[in-house]
Amino acid sequence: MPPLWIVQNRLFSRLCCGLKSPISTQTKLCLTMARPSSNMADFRKCFAKAKHIVVISGAGISAESGVPTFRGAGGYWRKWKAQDLATPQAFARNPSQVWEFYHYRREVVQSKEPNAGHLAIAECQARLHGQGRQVVVITQNIDELHRKAGTKNLLEIHGSLFKTRCTSCGVVAENYKSPICPALSGKGAPDPKTQDAGIPVEQLPRCEEPGCGGLLRPHVVWFGENLDPAILEEVDKELALCDLCLVVGTSSVVYPAAMFAPQVSARGVPVAEFNMETTPATNRFRFHFQGPCGTTLPEALAPHETETVS
Ligand SMILES: [Zn+2]
């Protein structure tokens, strides 16, 4: 499994070409070249029949809760984008600066709430569970807003802002402290004119395991790092089992998550994309619903008339 990276649009088609399909090349071509439908009634028919739904979510759904993404136009923290600071090299070079960036993000996210899109997914999951149907959420987001909304069956493939990992002993721990350490109190302002705090490494977050005291890092997957193989194995299992897939608020450019839905689509399973704009993958999917997830998802996932109400 290659590490986390951003796929250029031109490369995306080439990557998708490697996907195996159980159907003939001609049929596959028709499927992949057709324009996706935005007919909600047709989507609702697929939804009513589905027993095992996978939701793949990305930064767009968090953005609707006011979480900054640090990608795209204007997406800077000081002078940097996420891909400049979310790397092992940046942390090795300047752990204080990387911790300032993550401290800022933790503080911002703690003040945010799940939106109608997060809540629609969580509500749908609980409701369908009562009908013996499964909804699994695979998220690239590290803000835990799905968790906060009450989503249970959740695979956080890029880790969490609220977990740390010790660089010495490797222990992963939940951490919701605000601030995470005294030295970061009041630091991390995103303004480009802000001076680097230059916090000595011994005052950055440290491991609390007895006898360790090693430097902690955020337990998130950085660019150039591999995703947890155990989580990826679960993801593969879910992608192979699902009979409906929703792609929510992801621009389908961060690899390997960008390949999950095309992989499902290639086996002929309906995939529905809910996004503010079209993405490099849109034409590979059966449905595309443009607009805020907070508007489109509650309608898409509302109780279907065929559902037995318990
Ligand atoms: Zn440790």
Side-chain angles (χ1 to χ4, degrees), residues 166-171 207-209 212-214 216:
C166 177
T167 58
S168 297
C169 72
V171 161
C207 180
E208 288 173 7
E209 288 297 302
C212 181
L216 295 179

PDB file of all heavy atoms in Angstrom, residues 166-171 207-209 212-214 216, ligand 1:
ATOM      1  N   CYS A 166       3.272   8.276  21.208  1.00  0.00           N
ATOM      2  CA  CYS A 166       4.609   8.572  21.734  1.00  0.00           C
ATOM      3  C   CYS A 166       5.663   8.199  20.694  1.00  0.00           C
ATOM      4  O   CYS A 166       5.629   7.096  20.140  1.00  0.00           O
ATOM      5  CB  CYS A 166       4.845   7.806  23.027  1.00  0.00           C
ATOM      6  SG  CYS A 166       6.493   8.062  23.681  1.00  0.00           S
ATOM      7  N   THR A 167       6.604   9.116  20.444  1.00  0.00           N
ATOM      8  CA  THR A 167       7.655   8.829  19.458  1.00  0.00           C
ATOM      9  C   THR A 167       8.714   7.889  20.044  1.00  0.00           C
ATOM     10  O   THR A 167       9.564   7.399  19.311  1.00  0.00           O
ATOM     11  CB  THR A 167       8.337  10.136  18.971  1.00  0.00           C
ATOM     12  OG1 THR A 167       8.874  10.819  20.109  1.00  0.00           O
ATOM     13  CG2 THR A 167       7.360  11.046  18.245  1.00  0.00           C
ATOM     14  N   SER A 168       8.669   7.651  21.396  1.00  0.00           N
ATOM     15  CA  SER A 168       9.624   6.700  22.000  1.00  0.00           C
ATOM     16  C   SER A 168       8.995   5.328  22.182  1.00  0.00           C
ATOM     17  O   SER A 168       9.493   4.346  21.645  1.00  0.00           O
ATOM     18  CB  SER A 168      10.105   7.201  23.363  1.00  0.00           C
ATOM     19  OG  SER A 168      10.810   8.403  23.211  1.00  0.00           O
ATOM     20  N   CYS A 169       7.890   5.257  22.957  1.00  0.00           N
ATOM     21  CA  CYS A 169       7.335   3.930  23.280  1.00  0.00           C
ATOM     22  C   CYS A 169       6.178   3.532  22.368  1.00  0.00           C
ATOM     23  O   CYS A 169       5.721   2.396  22.412  1.00  0.00           O
ATOM     24  CB  CYS A 169       6.920   3.865  24.747  1.00  0.00           C
ATOM     25  SG  CYS A 169       5.431   4.815  25.126  1.00  0.00           S
ATOM     26  N   GLY A 170       5.677   4.459  21.550  1.00  0.00           N
ATOM     27  CA  GLY A 170       4.633   4.126  20.571  1.00  0.00           C
ATOM     28  C   GLY A 170       3.225   4.071  21.132  1.00  0.00           C
ATOM     29  O   GLY A 170       2.285   3.790  20.389  1.00  0.00           O
ATOM     30  N   VAL A 171       3.054   4.331  22.440  1.00  0.00           N
ATOM     31  CA  VAL A 171       1.709   4.240  23.031  1.00  0.00           C
ATOM     32  C   VAL A 171       0.786   5.310  22.434  1.00  0.00           C
ATOM     33  O   VAL A 171       1.167   6.477  22.308  1.00  0.00           O
ATOM     34  CB  VAL A 171       1.762   4.361  24.573  1.00  0.00           C
ATOM     35  CG1 VAL A 171       0.397   4.737  25.166  1.00  0.00           C
ATOM     36  CG2 VAL A 171       2.234   3.050  25.174  1.00  0.00           C
ATOM     37  N   CYS A 207       5.064  12.094  26.825  1.00  0.00           N
ATOM     38  CA  CYS A 207       4.409  10.835  27.181  1.00  0.00           C
ATOM     39  C   CYS A 207       4.297  10.692  28.699  1.00  0.00           C
ATOM     40  O   CYS A 207       5.238  10.995  29.423  1.00  0.00           O
ATOM     41  CB  CYS A 207       5.220   9.682  26.600  1.00  0.00           C
ATOM     42  SG  CYS A 207       4.557   8.064  26.943  1.00  0.00           S
ATOM     43  N   GLU A 208       3.121  10.217  29.143  1.00  0.00           N
ATOM     44  CA  GLU A 208       2.892  10.058  30.579  1.00  0.00           C
ATOM     45  C   GLU A 208       3.015   8.605  31.028  1.00  0.00           C
ATOM     46  O   GLU A 208       2.724   8.278  32.178  1.00  0.00           O
ATOM     47  CB  GLU A 208       1.506  10.621  30.947  1.00  0.00           C
ATOM     48  CG  GLU A 208       1.496  12.140  30.869  1.00  0.00           C
ATOM     49  CD  GLU A 208       0.121  12.772  31.060  1.00  0.00           C
ATOM     50  OE1 GLU A 208      -0.837  12.049  31.396  1.00  0.00           O
ATOM     51  OE2 GLU A 208       0.030  14.006  30.853  1.00  0.00           O
ATOM     52  N   GLU A 209       3.458   7.729  30.134  1.00  0.00           N
ATOM     53  CA  GLU A 209       3.691   6.339  30.539  1.00  0.00           C
ATOM     54  C   GLU A 209       4.817   6.326  31.563  1.00  0.00           C
ATOM     55  O   GLU A 209       5.806   7.071  31.408  1.00  0.00           O
ATOM     56  CB  GLU A 209       4.103   5.482  29.321  1.00  0.00           C
ATOM     57  CG  GLU A 209       2.997   5.201  28.340  1.00  0.00           C
ATOM     58  CD  GLU A 209       1.859   4.379  28.937  1.00  0.00           C
ATOM     59  OE1 GLU A 209       2.105   3.260  29.416  1.00  0.00           O
ATOM     60  OE2 GLU A 209       0.713   4.891  28.938  1.00  0.00           O
ATOM     61  N   CYS A 212       8.737   6.855  30.798  1.00  0.00           N
ATOM     62  CA  CYS A 212       8.988   7.154  29.373  1.00  0.00           C
ATOM     63  C   CYS A 212       9.293   8.643  29.186  1.00  0.00           C
ATOM     64  O   CYS A 212      10.453   9.023  29.049  1.00  0.00           O
ATOM     65  CB  CYS A 212       7.821   6.719  28.496  1.00  0.00           C
ATOM     66  SG  CYS A 212       8.140   7.056  26.744  1.00  0.00           S
ATOM     67  N   GLY A 213       8.290   9.486  29.159  1.00  0.00           N
ATOM     68  CA  GLY A 213       8.520  10.933  28.979  1.00  0.00           C
ATOM     69  C   GLY A 213       8.924  11.333  27.575  1.00  0.00           C
ATOM     70  O   GLY A 213       9.369  12.456  27.325  1.00  0.00           O
ATOM     71  N   GLY A 214       8.728  10.417  26.594  1.00  0.00           N
ATOM     72  CA  GLY A 214       9.091  10.709  25.204  1.00  0.00           C
ATOM     73  C   GLY A 214       8.235  11.818  24.597  1.00  0.00           C
ATOM     74  O   GLY A 214       7.176  12.160  25.127  1.00  0.00           O
ATOM     75  N   LEU A 216       5.553  13.429  22.354  1.00  0.00           N
ATOM     76  CA  LEU A 216       4.323  12.955  21.702  1.00  0.00           C
ATOM     77  C   LEU A 216       4.167  13.629  20.349  1.00  0.00           C
ATOM     78  O   LEU A 216       4.637  14.753  20.163  1.00  0.00           O
ATOM     79  CB  LEU A 216       3.100  13.284  22.569  1.00  0.00           C
ATOM     80  CG  LEU A 216       2.987  12.610  23.925  1.00  0.00           C
ATOM     81  CD1 LEU A 216       1.709  13.086  24.635  1.00  0.00           C
ATOM     82  CD2 LEU A 216       2.991  11.095  23.816  1.00  0.00           C
TER      83      LEU A 216
HETATM   84 ZN    ZN B   1       6.131   6.909  25.711  1.00  0.00          ZN
END
